[in-house]
Structure formats: C-alpha cells, structure tokens
Amino acid sequence: MDILLKQVRLNDDEELMDVGITDGKISAIEKEINEPATKIIEANGKVLVPGFVESHIHLDKALIASRKPNKSGTLQEAIKVTAELKPTFTKEDIYTRAKKALEMIIPRGVTAIRTHAEFDPAQGFTGFETIMQLKEEYKDLVDIQVVAFPQEGIFKAPGTEKMMYEAMEMGADVVGGIPYNDSPANDHIDLIFEIAKKYNKSIDLHQDFSDEATDISIEYLCHKTIEEGYQGRVSVGHLTALHALPKEQLDPIIALIAEAGISVMALPATDLHLGARNDAYNVRRAVTPIRKLRDGGVNMCIATNNIRNAFTPYGNGDILQTAMLAIPVGHLGGADDLPTVLPMITENPAKAIGLTNYGIGVGKQADLVLLDTLLKHDAIIDIPERVFVIKNGKITVESHKETIIYR
C-alpha cells in the first residue's frame, strides 16, 4: 500500500478502522490491516472525512478589499466597486491573488473547488484565462471546475453573449449566469440553457440575491430545468430572497426546487454582510432558509463565495469556519440538525458539482482529510486542525501544531 491510516474514526457509533490507499484509491477498510505500506499514519482515533468541497467561490476577485472599500456594505455598492476595479486587474495581479487564495484554501482540507471566473467587454478574458491557467497548475493538489460567469449581465452588457460561447470553447466546465442582474431574467435563463445544451455542460446561477421576494425567477428556472431534462445538473448560489416568503408561498417553491433537482449553495458569510442593510430594526438574517430547504428534500450546500473583497471583506479560506457560521445562522445546532451540516461541505456539494467516485469506501478516489478531533459529531464545531490532507492518494498537506501554555 502507498498509505495506511491506522485506527481512524469514520463514524461515532462504530469501531475504529484502518484505511489503506493504493494507486490513488481506497483499497481497504478493515478493523485491522497488517500489510506493509510506504507511509503509515497513526491516527489514534482521529476523525477521517472525505475532502471538503468548496462549491461556490470567486478566486479572481479575492483579496481586493483594501483597494476600494464597499463603505455602505450593500450589494449594489459591491457590484459597483468591483466593476470599477476590474478594468485595472492585470493577468499578473489576478494570478498572484488567486494563487494566494488557493494556498489559503488547500491547506484547510479542500480537495475540489468550483470557481466562478468573470469576463465582460471591459476587462476581456484576463481573469478567466488566468483561472484556467491555475486550474492546470494546481491539478495535483485540487480539482478545479471553472464557471463561465457574466457578472455584469449578458443583455445589459453588449458583447457578453458572444463571450459566453467563446468561454465554453476555451474550456469552461460550467455555464454560469446571474438572472437578477440582467433583464429580462427569464430570457437570461433561456440563453444559459441554450449554451449549456450546445456544449452539454451543467449550469450554476447566482439566483435571486435580494432582501425581498418581489421579483424572483427561481420558479421559472425550476420549470425550465424540468422541461429541458436538466434535473440534477443545475445549481444556484445565494437564493436569499426566499427568506422573505411566508410559509404558504415558500413551501410550494421548495417542493418545486426539489422536483427540479436543483442544488442550493448557501453563502452565509457574504449574505449576512450584505443583506438587510436597509432594515432599521429587527434586522433580518437575509440568508436562504437552509433548514427549510433541507427538510424539503433540496440538496443543500455551504460555500465561501468570496475572500476579502467588496462582497465579503473578511475570511481566510477555511470552509469549516463558514460551516460553523451557518450553524447559528441557520438554527442548525440542535441534536438532530448538527449531523446534517458536515455533509453540506462534503457529500452534498460533491453531488451538486458532479464529482464521481467521491467519499470513503473501497474503490473510491482517495481524497481525504484527517481532522484533529476524536468525534465526527465535533468535526465542525471544534474547527479542528487538518492534520493530513490526501489528494488522489498522495499526501499534499501535513500539519503539526504545538501549543505551549506558560503558567
């Protein structure tokens, strides 16, 4: 064997197990494995989980918060500030910042990323091309899916429609869109499906990102998804407008999302920062209703979205911290709720972005994280050290933390 992990905790109600890795795959999971291995890791009961999946992030916009702050903290100013900055982004600038962001994310246990990469007539393909380059450069450390993302809209930014097709020809993995920042939203969705079908690609939309639910297009998107036979191939991020709907209006929409097989990426770090800025009192959380969507059968994910820019002026790339934030925000700390959170950064987003052969099982791809905690129940609330990160059966990160307390 290449790697043998001795006595890991896979589930809290089960015995400790040995896990063997050979040729990039999990080759054995047994109570005791005595075969020789090139590398033996004594886990001593530490928790082993599948690699974390960062299902919605913007690497090309990372680490620019200090250049032009979003002083109002609103979504509108975040879009305005970023649009003003983008023409100043050089390839070298984007490369340096995105690389730094990757090297913040990877040591914290993420083995797969879906990143939205922008382009528009003002900045061209500078950011998109740079992210495609980094995808190749980092392929041994993390799997990166690149979403062709028209942040400024398509119809309202003439020339972008042509660029969408060009981005797909350049190798984009997913067709992105932003119906709430274009007009008409339904035509925007129709075009996204037209492109996705032409290239047989999945769809990932920034959807209904607002404090109110007065002008949403999620229902149209659901019907379109079903009509086009795209169930299971559409994801949406934000979807914050749903928080403003009463139960009698919300429940049928949740049922429709579940029927369409649309995955939802909750982005609490961003949405808490930008949302409800005009509320004078009883300030709303302005985050998509995670529990209600989960209970309605929707594939729920938690993701970071941005690191230190006008949309999210903080963060260090640790998806466990984002998941921890989602626990109080989404009322997910109860005894029955807490176990559902870890899958929102592992199995659920893996399903959402179409990862195959993912998870812990014999024959699965060996993308694993050994956590410095002894209970799976505490895998998020401890925000534990990532002791080992294993990608494609190779150790990519090893961490040793020593704390000295002086008395």
Side-chain angles (χ1 to χ4, degrees), residues 38-109:
T38 303
K39 173 71 173 179
I40 296 176
I41 298 173
E42 298 289 350
N44 299 315
K46 291 183 174 64
V47 172
L48 186 71
V49 298
F52 299 135
V53 179
E54 176 57 81
S55 57
H56 184 121
I57 198 164
H58 296 260
L59 293 174
D60 55 345
K61 293 193 296 193
L63 307 172
I64 57 171
S66 62
R67 297 184 184 181
K68 195 175 181 68
N70 173 3
K71 294 184 178 180
S72 70
T74 62
L75 172 61
Q76 291 72 26
E77 186 174 350
I79 292 173
K80 179 176 180 290
V81 162
T82 306
E84 291 171 356
L85 282 175
K86 278 194 297 185
T88 71
F89 295 167
T90 64
K91 184 173 183 179
E92 293 74 22
D93 171 44
I94 296 169
Y95 180 88
T96 300
R97 289 186 290 98
K99 181 181 174 74
K100 184 176 180 180
L102 281 170
E103 293 182 0
M104 295 166 73
I105 294 167
I106 292 168
R108 292 175 167 96

Side-chain angles (χ1 to χ4, degrees), residues 45-356:
K46 291 183 174 64
V47 172
L48 186 71
V49 298
F52 299 135
V53 179
E54 176 57 81
S55 57
H56 184 121
I57 198 164
H58 296 260
L59 293 174
D60 55 345
K61 293 193 296 193
L63 307 172
I64 57 171
S66 62
R67 297 184 184 181
K68 195 175 181 68
N70 173 3
K71 294 184 178 180
S72 70
T74 62
L75 172 61
Q76 291 72 26
E77 186 174 350
I79 292 173
K80 179 176 180 290
V81 162
T82 306
E84 291 171 356
L85 282 175
K86 278 194 297 185
T88 71
F89 295 167
T90 64
K91 184 173 183 179
E92 293 74 22
D93 171 44
I94 296 169
Y95 180 88
T96 300
R97 289 186 290 98
K99 181 181 174 74
K100 184 176 180 180
L102 281 170
E103 293 182 0
M104 295 166 73
I105 294 167
I106 292 168
R108 292 175 167 96
V110 169
T111 57
I113 293 171
R114 176 178 281 184
T115 181
H116 297 254
E118 296 182 21
F119 48 82
D120 58 59
Q123 69 160 339
F125 283 110
T126 305
F128 180 82
E129 290 174 339
T130 304
I131 300 303
M132 292 295 290
Q133 177 184 342
L134 285 166
K135 171 186 175 178
E136 177 64 22
E137 290 183 12
Y138 277 80
K139 65 182 180 182
D140 293 332
L141 297 174
V142 63
D143 296 324
I144 299 178
Q145 294 181 4
V146 180
V147 183
F149 179 51
Q151 170 74 73
E152 309 306 325
I154 297 177
F155 304 125
K156 66 188 282 189
T160 304
E161 181 175 348
K162 179 174 180 288
M163 295 181 78
M164 289 293 292
Y165 286 95
E166 290 172 344
M168 303 314 297
E169 295 289 345
M170 293 163 64
D173 301 290
V174 183
V175 184
I178 186 165
Y180 70 82
N181 194 34
D182 211 356
S183 182
N186 292 357
D187 288 356
H188 183 104
I189 290 169
D190 287 344
L191 178 59
I192 296 305
F193 271 93
E194 179 182 311
I195 297 168
K197 289 170 65 181
K198 175 178 172 63
Y199 294 97
N200 191 26
K201 298 293 186 180
S202 295
I203 292 170
D204 198 324
L205 304 180
H206 287 55
Q207 184 68 39
D208 295 331
F209 188 12
S210 65
D211 292 346
E212 310 300 338
T214 52
D215 189 21
I216 62 176
S217 58
I218 183 63
E219 291 168 287
Y220 182 84
L221 176 63
C222 290
H223 290 300
K224 184 73 175 178
T225 299
I226 295 168
E227 175 188 325
E228 298 291 351
Y230 249 63
Q231 294 95 325
R233 300 190 66 185
V234 177
S235 299
V236 298
H238 297 292
L239 199 63
T240 57
L242 293 194
H243 85 109
L245 290 173
K247 177 179 173 58
E248 60 271 18
Q249 291 177 255
L250 178 61
D251 285 353
I253 292 177
I254 290 177
L256 190 57
I257 295 170
E259 181 186 353
I262 293 175
S263 295
V264 175
M265 284 73 163
L267 310 172
T270 297
D271 299 344
L272 283 169
H273 174 68
L274 297 175
R277 285 283 176 168
N278 294 320
D279 288 357
Y281 62 96
N282 284 342
V283 180
R284 295 167 292 174
R285 300 179 184 201
V287 174
T288 198
I290 301 173
R291 280 187 86 209
K292 292 176 180 178
L293 286 159
R294 179 204 66 190
D295 291 347
V298 175
N299 184 45
M300 281 303 304
C301 313
I302 295 168
T304 299
N305 191 41
N306 282 296
I307 300 174
R308 303 188 190 187
N309 64 15
F311 295 85
T312 318
Y314 42 72
N316 63 0
D318 191 346
I319 197 170
L320 276 186
Q321 290 193 7
T322 304
M324 180 64 229
L325 177 63
I327 290 173
V329 170
H331 288 159
L332 299 170
D336 294 332
D337 293 302
L338 192 57
T340 72
V341 180
L342 182 59
M344 293 183 191
I345 58 171
T346 53
E347 290 94 342
N348 295 7
K351 176 182 177 183
I353 72 172
L355 298 185
T356 57

